Amino acid sequence: MRPYILAETNWKALSEQRFELAVLPWGATEAHNYHLPYGTDNIEADALAAAAAAYAWERGGRLVVLPTIPFGVNTGQSDIYLDMNLNPSTQLAILDDIAATLSRQGVPKLLVFNSHGGNNFKPLLRELGLRYPDLLICMTEWFRALDREALGVAPGDHADEVETSLLLHLRPDLVLPRESWGKGASRRFKIDALGESWAWTERRWSEATVDTGVGDPSAATAAKGQEIVGLLQEKMGQFFLDLCKADPGDFYQQEAT
Ligand SMILES: [Zn+2]
């Protein structure tokens, strides 16, 4: 039993335990190229949040990882078979109930651990922050914590080299053989600006992709997946630990620059 995983711990242990930080992993259920399971984002969320929590726990952080929410925002994949969509307003309702529970029971900090690019938590957390001033609410996205250039992986953001490597490491039994992997080719918008960071419209997945993947997975290996888990465990684990130890009332550096 890992004492920092709520689904594994028990009432006996919790009768003597109080936590500084609750971590809420949030994934999605959706197609990932031909070869990765629909639960890919949840498998990643489970594994990466638990690895980072172990790092923080071993260094004295008192934190608990809540069960992963398995459905995410998939508004751009409404015609992809059995991609499950939760609307952002539904996510807000779920988060509100979770924040209410934590706030009522005196857990002072919540970290939403995002594992799916379609989930956009910032506006939701801004609204919740006003509702729960006694709860410090933060979020993190593991896929942005990764230095892709340093890793030397091919560009992509969905069922790409990174995700395929992670699944080859975490759940090789659920990855189809290499000959079935799609190329992860995608189509850019005709309007160049929409491909840049200062303009945006939602990608219609069935038109923008060929096999639902975005990014060539062909160089993926289990060893790369293991390396990614190790890098993220340390980087995100230190962040978890810093949050555990932080005083929400004394959150800024002394010097203003
Ligand atoms: Zn994914």
Side-chain angles (χ1 to χ4, degrees):
M1 182 273 266
R2 294 171 291 181
Y4 49 87
I5 303 287
L6 183 60
E8 295 183 12
T9 189
N10 49 60
W11 175 238
K12 182 164 170 51
L14 290 198
S15 63
E16 292 157 15
Q17 180 71 63
R18 287 297 173 265
F19 297 109
E20 271 297 311
L21 171 69
V23 177
L24 178 66
W26 205 309
T29 300
E30 57 172 350
H32 272 76
N33 198 321
Y34 297 119
H35 61 286
L36 297 182
Y38 267 56
T40 289
D41 292 357
N42 303 324
I43 293 166
E44 293 160 348
D46 280 344
L48 295 169
Y55 180 99
W57 182 269
E58 284 157 14
R59 288 159 181 80
R62 286 299 161 256
L63 74 172
V64 64
V65 181
L66 310 181
T68 298
I69 309 279
F71 302 132
V73 174
N74 277 80
T75 42
Q77 288 103 339
S78 55
D79 55 347
I80 309 270
Y81 192 52
L82 291 185
D83 274 18
M84 306 304 293
N85 175 53
L86 277 193
N87 284 321
S89 52
T90 313
Q91 289 189 311
L92 180 60
I94 293 170
L95 278 166
D96 192 4
D97 285 353
I98 291 170
T101 303
L102 297 173
S103 164
R104 188 165 58 235
Q105 304 196 344
V107 177
K109 300 161 198 162
L110 166 64
L111 174 65
V112 178
F113 187 94
N114 186 23
S115 186
H116 168 62
N119 294 337
N120 183 7
F121 288 114
K122 275 192 213 171
L124 310 184
L125 302 187
R126 288 179 199 277
E127 189 165 337
L128 284 177
L130 280 183
R131 270 182 229 171
Y132 299 96
D134 56 342
L135 186 65
L136 177 72
I137 306 176
C138 306
M139 71 118 195
T140 182
E141 305 188 304
W142 67 260
F143 44 90
R144 289 190 213 286
L146 209 57
D147 185 346
R148 300 180 63 102
E149 229 162 272
L151 267 175
V153 290
D157 61 35
H158 187 68
D160 57 353
E161 186 179 335
V162 167
E163 286 202 295
T164 302
S165 295
L166 280 169
L167 268 285
L168 284 171
H169 169 56
L170 297 170
R171 289 300 304 270
D173 55 315
L174 297 181
V175 181
L176 289 182
R178 275 176 192 269
E179 51 271 24
S180 60
W181 298 6
K183 291 183 167 55
S186 57
R187 298 182 187 92
R188 289 202 307 248
F189 292 110
K190 286 185 173 171
I191 300 172
D192 285 338
L194 289 171
E196 295 177 25
S197 60
W198 57 279
W200 182 84
T201 188
E202 181 155 49
R203 279 180 284 182
R204 283 198 296 252
W205 224 257
S206 52
E207 294 171 43
T209 71
V210 178
D211 48 37
T212 80
V214 178
D216 180 5
S218 62
T221 63
K224 221 171 276 177
Q226 188 175 17
E227 183 189 356
I228 291 168
V229 172
L231 290 168
L232 290 176
Q233 176 175 35
E234 204 178 319
K235 183 170 183 175
M236 306 193 86
Q238 187 59 50
F239 175 49
F240 285 17
L241 184 60
D242 290 343
L243 277 180
C244 286
K245 302 219 156 145
D247 171 1
D250 182 20
F251 213 57
Y252 296 88
Q253 300 190 6
Q254 202 66 39
E255 289 286 302
T257 51

